[in-house]
Each structure stands twice: as C-alpha cells, then as structure tokens.
Amino acid sequence: MTFSPDGTLLGSQGYPVPPSLRWEVKRDANGVLQYCAAQGPNGFCRNFTLSGDTLRMFGGPQGNTTFRRVP
C-alpha cells in the first residue's frame, strides 16, 4: 500500500483499495493518535504504533494489521 500525503491510498495486488477511500491521522477524545480511513460517510479509526519501518494498526474485523515500508 502507498499512503499518499493527499490522503489517497494505492493498494497492491491481492489488497485492492477503492479509489474513493481516504486516510488521515487524528486524535480521539483522549488525545490518542488514530489512523482513520473513510469512503464517503462510512469509515473507521484504529489505534496504531509506528516504529522504524513498521506500522501496526490494532483491532479490526480480522485482528491487527502490520505494514512494513519497502524501498
């Protein structure tokens, strides 16, 4: 996946992303940073950690998700 600064996402083979999906990082009511993604009025936010080249998002319908940056 490619997380573009303008909020768009590019998927990969086997992990398609709808072209209208947008992402952002924002704070929840307690000030904790969350990764959020939305397609129109439907969206979700998840807590995350970012360490080096690894992004881990917690929770979700299939459990935690891990992304690693590749050159």
Side-chain angles (χ1 to χ4, degrees):
M1 299 205 28
T2 301
F3 297 84
S4 299
D6 68 357
T8 57
L9 285 170
L10 299 176
S12 62
Q13 185 175 0
Y15 201 92
V17 174
S20 60
L21 187 74
R22 296 293 180 265
W23 73 276
E24 67 178 324
V25 173
K26 60 184 179 182
R27 294 188 186 277
D28 69 8
N30 296 317
V32 176
L33 289 175
Q34 293 187 315
Y35 165 87
C36 300
Q39 185 176 10
N42 302 315
F44 65 89
C45 292
R46 291 167 63 183
N47 292 346
F48 71 93
T49 61
L50 183 60
S51 178
D53 289 337
T54 303
L55 167 64
R56 280 194 184 85
M57 292 185 283
F58 303 108
Q62 297 178 347
N64 297 343
T65 304
T66 301
F67 294 99
R68 289 191 176 84
R69 184 184 340 213
V70 294

